[in-house]
Amino acid sequence: MTAEFWDDPAMRDALRNRHLGQIIRAWRTHPQHGRQAVSQNIVAAWMGITQAQLSRIETGGPVVHLDRLTEWAKALRIPPHLLWFTLPTNDSSNSPEAPSRSELHDPGRTAPAETRYPDHDRHQALRSRVLNYRWDGPAEPMPLTQDDAVNRRAVLYGLMGTAGAAGSSSLAAHLEALRRGLDDRLSGDVVDSADVDEWERVTDQYAHDVGLLSAGRVLPQLATDLEDVQASLRSVSGKQRTDLAHACSRLSALIAITLLNLDEVQMARRYWRTATRAADQTSDLRLRALIRGRRAVFSLYDQRSASTVLALADEAIEVAPGIACTGTVSAHAARSQALALLGDHRAALDALDETFKVFARLPDATVSDRSSQWGWSEQRLRHVESHVHSYAGRTHDAARAQNVALSLYPAQAYQGPAQIELHRAVSMIVAGDPSEGARHTVRTVSGLPAHVRDDALVRRTAVLALDAIPAGAAKLPAVSQARDLLALPIGPS
């Protein structure tokens, strides 16, 4: 690489940030490679890692392990004087030369011997087809055979970037085209088969990621996999198509949740509708209730009226009568919280009692799942209890539920614990101390890590907390400061 290559503005910024992932991205998208960037898929294959690993390197936190920094800096031939660490001098001559763009696009090119990984040769033919595949829009399926299904995710995980660049100008446009394509597939004829078990495993993993990892990190990967399963949907028939619609429903619901976390409310609602439609193409009553019940819960935070939340919750309960599952317990939980927001505290407590009764009948696997969107453990129950008692002014009961909930959340969770603290703010406000409630709201939101501070679910919970402040206290200095710092309008949202 010439000296001018490293003087590109994006490359200079990445080097200044001392973030190797950003350097790799600047390397891939460098103008010297031509109008089209080198895809993650191609660079990952050359470096001997999966695209998913490369995506995490580019978008995650800075790499701190010296051996990895050294290996990848040498692979990219970054001039030593530009690095913030010292390269070993005893084996620098053995580092591979960064390939040219033409070499990267050569599907027959193998990874350097020292970076070859298990099953590299078996994956090579699959990579060859992927690297030569031309993107023609989300309706075109990837040309993969069923034998490739087990390796599909590792090789195709990054195609969203390529697809988005060729087919739309923004992630939002790409997501909308993807959703419409999925609707078309749900209505279309099918002729072939697909690996539905793999997609169930994929959705289960994402169900643990959503709400724990930042939405901006999860959404591109979710969209990539939904794009792939969408293409497979028209290639199967009978029971396999129904099973694949099951996976489509759950992936669409997870995208809806993630979009809401990003404050993309309208698009989230459209994805909820698609998730419901896909669920209704199966005979699984628990799935139908799951999608509707989770939608009711998240509708508490998408600026819908409480009466709309109640209607969604009732629908979830009606679709699986007498069944204790995540969907029905979520629906009862949404009912109790919506009634609390409406100020009907007697009805909210009755609905909370129903939530406890359904919770007592849940399967052990559902109750023991503390980190998945499909689980419903005691931490969720205490969260609902905290909400209802806080708005009802039952300070002692609310505090007890809050303390139990906080003790049960996984260490990496941020949304739930933040919402519990915002329930504490509501308790202070309802107990007659709006100033301290406002200050606690500010402390909670500003105390979050920077990368999740703008999480829309947390922000919306903060809006609801401040909306509990009586009109006569709206101009108190602490309240005004809270609204200013959180960029929230004065009055009901």
Side-chain angles (χ1 to χ4, degrees):
M1 299 297 179
T2 64
E4 289 76 16
F5 182 95
W6 306 104
D7 200 43
D8 178 74
M11 182 64 74
R12 287 203 309 268
D13 288 343
L15 288 164
R16 188 182 304 113
N17 292 337
R18 298 186 173 187
H19 193 301
L20 192 62
Q22 294 177 9
I23 294 171
I24 295 173
R25 183 167 61 244
W27 192 100
R28 289 191 306 101
T29 59
H30 199 286
Q32 286 192 19
H33 292 314
R35 295 181 62 184
Q36 184 174 352
V38 180
S39 73
Q40 287 182 334
N41 187 62
I42 295 170
V43 174
W46 167 65
M47 296 180 72
I49 59 178
T50 68
Q51 185 279 332
Q53 290 171 319
L54 180 57
S55 177
R56 287 193 293 270
I57 292 166
E58 288 191 3
T59 60
V63 176
V64 296
H65 298 288
L66 182 59
D67 55 342
R68 295 180 185 176
L69 289 169
T70 299
E71 177 184 352
W72 293 327
K74 288 170 21 181
L76 295 176
R77 289 290 184 178
I78 303 174
H81 72 276
L82 296 178
L83 298 173
W84 60 98
F85 57 92
T86 303
L87 289 173
T89 58
N90 56 348
D91 62 351
S92 59
S93 61
N94 296 326
S95 60
E97 177 66 73
S100 66
R101 184 179 180 86
S102 62
E103 290 175 320
L104 281 171
H105 280 283
D106 177 7
R109 185 181 190 276
T110 60
E114 62 269 31
T115 60
R116 292 169 71 89
Y117 54 93
D119 291 333
H120 176 275
D121 292 334
R122 187 158 61 88
H123 293 173
Q124 190 64 29
L126 178 60
R127 281 202 302 274
S128 175
R129 287 199 301 282
V130 171
L131 300 188
N132 286 292
Y133 176 67
R134 181 174 63 86
W135 174 258
D136 288 315
E140 187 67 27
M142 290 299 300
L144 304 179
T145 67
Q146 186 173 356
D147 291 340
D148 299 324
V150 294
N151 301 320
R152 171 177 51 207
R153 212 169 160 239
V155 179
L156 299 181
Y157 214 40
L159 287 182
M160 179 189 170
T162 305
S168 68
S169 60
S170 68
L171 176 59
H174 177 62
L175 282 168
E176 180 58 16
L178 173 57
R179 187 190 66 83
R180 290 176 179 173
L182 177 55
D183 274 344
D184 290 343
R185 291 292 181 270
L186 290 167
S187 303
D189 295 328
V190 292
V191 294
D192 216 305
S193 63
D195 182 7
V196 296
D197 290 339
E198 170 67 8
W199 290 116
E200 290 299 322
R201 290 191 292 270
V202 168
T203 58
D204 284 340
Q205 180 56 55
Y206 279 130
H208 288 275
D209 292 343
V210 171
L212 291 179
L213 302 180
S214 65
R217 178 179 172 186
V218 174
L219 184 58
Q221 300 187 24
L222 265 172
T224 299
D225 277 329
L226 184 57
E227 186 171 27
D228 200 3
V229 73
Q230 168 192 306
S232 300
L233 190 59
R234 75 174 184 181
S235 302
V236 293
S237 59
K239 182 179 183 300
Q240 286 182 320
R241 184 172 189 272
T242 300
D243 290 343
L244 207 56
H246 190 286
C248 287
S249 176
R250 299 206 299 168
L251 279 172
S252 297
L254 291 170
I255 286 184
I257 294 169
T258 307
L259 285 167
L260 181 59
N261 291 340
L262 292 169
D263 205 24
E264 294 290 344
V265 173
Q266 294 301 325
M267 193 177 295
R269 291 176 182 175
R270 290 193 289 271
Y271 263 89
W272 277 123
R273 291 197 295 268
T274 298
T276 302
R277 184 181 179 199
D280 287 349
Q281 293 201 7
T282 76
S283 59
D284 189 342
L285 296 183
R286 286 175 171 79
L287 175 65
R288 295 180 184 182
L290 172 68
I291 300 304
R292 289 169 168 84
R294 300 307 286 154
R295 181 183 183 185
V297 168
F298 284 98
S299 292
L300 290 162
Y301 308 102
D302 77 349
Q303 302 173 28
R304 287 182 183 270
S305 66
S307 58
T308 300
V309 175
L310 291 173
L312 291 170
D314 288 343
E315 185 179 342
I317 294 168
E318 291 168 3
V319 82
I323 298 176
C325 59
T326 297
T328 53
V329 74
S330 293
H332 285 289
R335 275 187 55 79
S336 61
Q337 292 175 91
L339 289 165
L341 291 174
L342 287 171
D344 191 345
H345 300 304
R346 182 65 265 169
L349 289 170
D350 289 343
L352 180 61
D353 287 342
E354 287 299 316
T355 306
F356 270 86
K357 292 176 183 178
V358 178
F359 177 80
R361 296 169 47 222
L362 289 175
D364 290 342
T366 301
V367 175
S368 63
D369 184 349
R370 296 174 54 210
S371 61
S372 164
Q373 292 293 335
W374 314 142
W376 223 88
S377 65
E378 186 184 354
Q379 74 198 31
R380 293 194 191 279
L381 182 67
R382 300 306 174 186
H383 178 109
V384 177
E385 188 182 19
S386 165
H387 178 109
V388 171
H389 289 317
S390 294
Y391 279 91
R394 299 165 64 99
T395 306
H396 177 75
D397 292 333
R400 185 185 64 240
Q402 289 153 7
N403 292 337
V404 174
L406 290 173
S407 72
L408 293 172
Y409 278 107
Q412 67 271 37
Y414 71 92
Q415 275 185 342
Q419 289 180 295
I420 291 294
E421 291 299 334
L422 292 167
H423 294 171
R424 288 194 197 276
V426 172
S427 291
M428 297 171 190
I429 292 166
V430 174
D433 194 348
S435 293
E436 184 57 27
R439 284 191 287 267
H440 194 71
T441 298
V442 171
R443 285 195 298 268
T444 298
V445 176
S446 61
L448 288 170
H451 69 286
V452 296
R453 199 168 294 151
D454 289 329
D455 182 284
L457 202 70
V458 174
R459 289 271 172 169
R460 180 59 182 166
T461 308
V463 172
L464 295 173
L466 294 187
D467 282 350
I469 295 174
K475 295 183 183 279
L476 288 172
V479 176
S480 298
Q481 182 184 35
R483 293 194 182 277
D484 288 343
L485 289 175
L486 295 172
L488 301 175
I490 293 179
S493 58

